[in-house]
């Protein structure tokens, strides 16, 4: 599979992170569903942490 775009992942997380769309995009469907069910990880905590990890280059897609 192909690597996912860093910029696309970052933009999805920033604008639609509460819905977990960046997780679906990078292949983490289970966590994406959990983010939807918990309203973005209790009102936005997960997307904030994910955005920080994406900006630091720590966040990887499902293929590494």
């Amino acid at each position: 599979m192909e690597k996912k775009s860093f910029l696309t992942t970052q933009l999805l997380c920033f604008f639609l992170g509460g819905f977990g769309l960046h997780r679906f995009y990078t292949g983490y469907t289970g966590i994406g569903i959990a983010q939807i069910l918990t309203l973005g990880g209790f009102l936005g905590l997960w997307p904030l942490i994910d955005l920080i990890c994406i900006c630091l280059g720590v966040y990887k897609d499902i293929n590494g």
Side-chain angles (χ1 to χ4, degrees):
M1 291 194 112
E2 65 184 65
K3 279 183 100 171
K4 301 300 180 179
S5 166
F6 170 78
L7 180 61
T8 303
T9 305
Q10 191 174 26
L11 291 173
L12 283 171
C13 185
F14 185 78
F15 290 110
L16 300 168
F19 299 109
L21 291 182
H22 62 288
R23 290 289 188 162
F24 289 105
Y25 177 71
T26 55
Y28 296 107
T29 307
I31 298 173
I33 292 170
Q35 282 188 324
I36 290 173
L37 295 176
T38 61
L39 301 174
F42 307 107
L43 303 176
L45 184 61
W46 279 359
L48 179 63
I49 292 169
D50 286 346
L51 187 61
I52 292 169
C53 290
I54 292 167
C55 290
L56 294 175
V58 178
Y59 188 90
K60 307 282 186 220
D61 68 4
I62 200 158
N63 298 319

